[in-house]
């Protein structure tokens, strides 16, 4: 009997010790991420599988009908889809996620593991085509008087139209940055699929965006520079300039060994009035504009603390105005004297990617040094250690910042090959995503706040479609990063 009691006592004691160890492990996982030895996890594959899971669920929940109408919100707890439709920018976030997945699948195949590629590449390519086809619900046509010409353009409006090609695009109904995000994705899609239609559309929209460059001359004969937010605006924003740098570099690289030409329109620097049109090599044209836009944003929007402000305001004239030169009507140039905040992650992120791409294309050390400094300064400014949870970095997620933050992460990934310390900044995003996935994943969705989780009131748990696609894109980019860095 005594022996039995001793055995029982020993079992109880060891059970208590085991429970304490399990509890300690749980606490450790809660504070520092999942308690899984790194060598037991193929992180790149795990990231890619999670990206596909999140993207597939978001597509099935946010899109309806043959026309792929995108509900802006979806609540995974109540399964209610909003009547409000997503803007073209929100719609493009789905294309971004699909591209990121396709890119990761392609890299995985190139590195000798074709299983996931063989299983999924074609279906995501088909989804990509369907998304682009139905993006035409945002397409419309209007006539624009610009700084150098008057021309009819078919571009993407902010809001979805009732039928393909019927969207409102006049004036403030379209903005240049929406075209830029699409240009980026179209070029990425072209590189992944070799579909020439994507390249053709990307170059058409690029011509439209560069037509918005303020090429009017100031008193010293220099171009005023900068692209306003849209043809109906005068303020010149970081988001309507920075996102265009990388796509222009990619276009330069696509044409650098070719003799293809494009029409370059500008204003004579001597008389500051004569409009000139000349043929130049595409490769030179695209690279020159990448340099000009990068230089304008750095000169006009870089702050003393090393990150980028939001826009240039205090503009004269205060709204778009036209004037007549030699009997032809053109848009007047705009001078903006105020640098206006706040600093937002994506405005630094696009310049990180732009600087990294310009360095790769030109090997000019100035771009590399810019990227290194901006990497360090932006992480110091935007990432707050322990503000929400010990051991984790908090990024502001107010407004649309969950998507904005993904642009910053992508910037760090683009810089990493030339600046290895960026790995520490990238890991903060991996850690936050994994915490959200391991602790709060619900029916294929992650909460807006990855470190805090869902509201106790289920009716408050509707999610932005573009945030779900942003998480999927981040996971896919991280999958590719993990493959390529090794």
């Amino acid at each position: 009997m005594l022996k039995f009691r001793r055995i029982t006592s020993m079992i109880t004691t060891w059970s208590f010790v085991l429970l304490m160890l399990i509890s300690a492990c749980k606490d450790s996982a809660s504070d520092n991420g999942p308690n899984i030895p790194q060598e037991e996890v193929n992180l790149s594959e795990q990231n890619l599988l999670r990206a596909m899971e999140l993207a597939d669920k978001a597509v099935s929940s946010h899109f309806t009908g043959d026309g792929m109408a995108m509900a802006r919100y979806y609540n995974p707890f109540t399964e209610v889809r909003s009547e409000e439709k997503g803007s073209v920018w929100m719609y493009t976030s789905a294309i971004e996620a699909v591209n990121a997945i396709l890119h990761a699948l392609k890299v995985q195949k190139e590195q000798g593991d074709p299983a996931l590629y063989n299983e999924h590449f074609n279906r995501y390519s088909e989804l990509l085509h369907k998304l682009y086809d139905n993006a035409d619900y945002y397409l419309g046509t209007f006539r624009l008087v610009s700084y150098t010409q008057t021309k009819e353009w078919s571009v993407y409006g902010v809001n979805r139209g009732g039928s393909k090609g019927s969207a409102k695009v006049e004036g403030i109904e379209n903005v240049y940055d929406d075209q830029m995000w699409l240009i980026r994705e179209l070029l990425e899609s072209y590189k992944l699929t070799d579909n020439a239609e994507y390249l053709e559309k990307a170059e058409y929209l690029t011509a439209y965006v560069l037509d918005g460059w303020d090429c009017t001359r100031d008193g010293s004969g220099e171009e005023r520079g900068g692209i306003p937010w849209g043809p109906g605006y005068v303020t010149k924003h970081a988001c309507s300039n920075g996102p265009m740098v990388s796509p222009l570099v990619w276009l330069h690289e696509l044409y650098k060994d070719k003799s293809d030409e494009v029409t370059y329109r500008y204003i004579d620097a001597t008389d500051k009035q004569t409009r000139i049109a000349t043929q130049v090599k595409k490769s030179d044209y695209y690279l020159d504009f990448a340099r000009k836009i990068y230089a304008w944003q750095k000169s006009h929007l870089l702050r003393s603390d090393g990150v980028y402000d939001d826009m240039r305001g205090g503009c004269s004239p205060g709204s778009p105005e036209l004037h007549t030169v030699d009997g032809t009507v053109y848009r007047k140039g705009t001078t903006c004297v105020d640098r206006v905040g706040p600093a937002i992650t994506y405005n630094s992120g696009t310049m990180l990617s732009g600087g990294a791409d310009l360095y790769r294309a030109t090997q000019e050390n100035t771009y590399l040094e810019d990227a290194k400094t901006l990497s360090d300064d932006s992480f110091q400014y935007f990432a707050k250690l322990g503000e929400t949870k010990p051991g984790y970095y908090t990024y502001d997620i107010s407004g649309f910042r969950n998507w904005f933050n993904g642009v910053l992460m992508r910037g760090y990934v683009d810089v990493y090959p030339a600046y290895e310390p960026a790995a520490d900044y990238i890991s903060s995003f991996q850690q936050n995503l994994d915490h959200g996935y391991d602790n709060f994943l619900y029916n294929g969705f992650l909460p807006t706040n990855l470190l805090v989780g869902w509201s106790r009131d289920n009716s408050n748990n509707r999610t932005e479609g573009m945030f779900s696609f942003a998480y999927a894109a981040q996971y896919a980019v991280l999958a590719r990063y993990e493959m390529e860095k090794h």
Side-chain angles (χ1 to χ4, degrees):
M1 187 70 174
L2 181 60
K3 182 178 180 180
F4 175 77
R5 287 177 178 172
R6 285 177 178 172
I7 292 172
T8 303
S9 176
M10 289 175 64
I11 291 172
T12 302
T13 300
W14 281 108
S15 296
F16 175 75
V17 171
L18 183 59
L19 285 170
M20 291 298 290
L21 286 170
I22 291 172
S23 176
C25 287
K26 284 183 176 178
D27 289 343
S28 175
S30 175
D31 288 341
N32 299 302
N35 189 41
I36 303 173
Q38 191 65 45
E39 61 271 18
E40 295 181 9
V41 174
N42 182 333
L43 187 55
S44 64
E45 184 166 308
Q46 176 178 282
N47 285 341
L48 181 51
L49 290 171
R50 290 181 175 185
M52 292 190 289
E53 177 187 6
L54 296 175
D56 289 349
K57 193 64 179 181
V59 168
S60 65
S61 300
H62 284 273
F63 289 98
T64 55
D66 293 336
M68 297 286 283
M70 179 187 181
R72 177 176 175 181
Y73 298 104
Y74 178 78
N75 188 322
F77 289 85
T78 63
E79 299 184 349
V80 173
R81 181 185 288 120
S82 72
E83 292 296 322
E84 180 184 356
K85 299 296 186 287
S87 68
V88 71
W89 170 42
M90 298 169 186
Y91 187 96
T92 304
S93 69
I95 298 174
E96 176 191 10
V98 173
N99 268 335
I101 290 168
L102 287 169
H103 198 160
L105 288 169
K106 193 169 185 178
V107 170
Q108 192 177 61
K109 180 189 177 185
E110 291 169 350
Q111 296 197 352
D113 185 3
L116 288 177
Y117 177 96
N118 292 338
E119 183 178 355
H120 297 288
F121 192 87
N122 284 343
R123 78 175 178 93
Y124 280 114
S125 295
E126 291 170 3
L127 174 58
L128 185 69
H129 177 76
K130 190 175 181 180
L131 285 166
Y132 280 126
D133 182 48
N134 289 292
D136 284 357
Y137 279 94
Y138 295 92
L139 199 64
T141 301
F142 80 121
R143 193 168 183 81
L144 176 65
V145 179
S146 72
Y147 304 104
T148 60
Q149 64 177 335
T150 297
K151 184 175 178 178
E152 186 173 85
W153 296 96
S154 293
V155 298
Y156 292 89
V158 173
N159 299 309
R160 180 184 171 95
S163 59
K164 291 181 179 179
S166 68
K168 296 179 180 179
V169 294
E170 189 81 29
I172 63 171
E173 297 286 353
N174 89 85
V175 288
Y176 287 121
D177 56 320
D178 285 350
Q179 323 304 319
M180 292 178 186
W181 300 120
L182 274 164
I183 291 166
R184 174 192 163 80
E185 298 310 325
L186 284 161
L187 289 173
E188 179 77 345
S189 299
Y190 170 69
K191 290 187 287 184
L192 291 167
T193 68
D194 293 323
N195 186 333
E197 291 181 5
Y198 297 150
L199 176 59
E200 182 181 356
K201 174 67 79 171
E203 289 199 81
Y204 177 85
L205 293 177
T206 295
Y208 173 67
V209 166
L210 297 184
D211 187 58
W213 171 261
D214 188 347
C215 61
T216 61
R217 304 285 181 173
D218 62 19
S220 62
E222 298 295 320
E223 288 187 331
R224 289 183 173 87
I227 302 171
W229 191 17
Y233 297 89
V234 292
T235 49
K236 298 174 180 178
H237 294 237
C239 73
S240 58
N241 286 275
M244 200 59 210
V245 177
S246 287
L248 286 167
V249 175
W250 302 346
L251 284 166
H252 156 74
E253 291 171 330
L254 286 171
Y255 285 102
K256 67 179 179 181
D257 296 322
K258 301 177 181 179
S259 59
D260 298 59
E261 293 186 335
V262 66
T263 301
Y264 173 35
R265 299 179 184 277
Y266 63 100
I267 298 174
D268 182 74
T270 303
D271 67 17
K272 308 180 188 62
Q273 291 192 24
T274 303
R275 270 60 181 177
I276 300 172
T278 186
Q279 295 297 113
V280 295
K281 283 187 65 176
K282 280 187 175 182
S283 58
D284 296 337
Y285 175 78
Y286 290 133
L287 183 59
D288 288 346
F289 255 111
R291 289 178 181 274
K292 285 203 294 187
I293 294 172
Y294 181 93
W296 182 89
Q297 183 148 322
K298 180 181 175 182
S299 173
H300 290 82
L301 291 172
L302 184 62
R303 299 167 20 149
S304 60
D305 53 8
V307 295
Y308 282 85
D309 259 330
D310 190 49
M311 69 174 194
R312 294 292 290 194
C315 302
S316 179
S319 60
E321 291 185 6
L322 305 178
H323 66 153
T324 301
V325 178
D326 295 332
T328 304
V329 177
Y330 300 104
R331 176 170 173 161
K332 279 187 178 180
T334 306
T335 300
C336 302
V337 297
D338 298 330
R339 198 185 68 221
V340 182
I344 307 173
T345 45
Y346 75 149
N347 292 331
S348 292
T350 57
M351 290 295 280
L352 279 170
S353 295
D357 286 334
L358 279 167
Y359 173 68
R360 184 185 64 250
T362 68
Q363 290 299 296
E364 293 179 14
N365 200 53
T366 299
Y367 295 122
L368 176 59
E369 292 306 312
D370 283 354
K372 289 179 178 180
T373 301
L374 181 56
S375 294
D376 296 340
D377 289 344
S378 61
F379 188 73
Q380 181 178 356
Y381 184 88
F382 293 114
K384 307 300 180 185
L385 181 61
E387 187 175 90
T388 302
K389 184 176 180 63
Y392 290 76
Y393 285 93
T394 292
Y395 293 88
D396 185 0
I397 59 169
S398 62
F400 294 108
R401 283 171 173 79
N402 255 334
W403 186 85
F404 294 154
N405 296 340
V407 178
L408 180 65
M409 188 206 80
R410 189 172 63 220
Y412 294 141
V413 171
D414 289 341
V415 168
Y416 170 78
Y419 187 52
E420 289 191 6
D424 291 337
Y425 311 151
I426 297 166
S427 68
S428 69
F429 290 90
Q430 178 79 59
Q431 187 181 29
N432 289 358
L433 279 168
D434 286 345
H435 182 78
Y437 187 96
D438 294 333
N439 292 280
F440 305 122
L441 182 73
Y442 182 82
N443 197 23
F445 284 87
L446 296 179
T448 299
N449 193 322
L450 296 172
L451 300 182
V452 173
W454 301 100
S455 169
R456 293 181 180 178
D457 182 351
N458 286 344
S459 66
N460 291 332
N461 284 322
R462 69 177 188 172
T463 60
E464 286 266 9
M466 70 182 309
F467 292 174
S468 295
F469 288 119
Y471 293 147
Q474 287 176 41
Y475 258 134
V477 170
L478 289 168
R480 174 170 55 85
Y481 161 74
E482 288 294 330
M483 286 183 270
E484 292 180 333
K485 79 175 183 179
H486 294 304

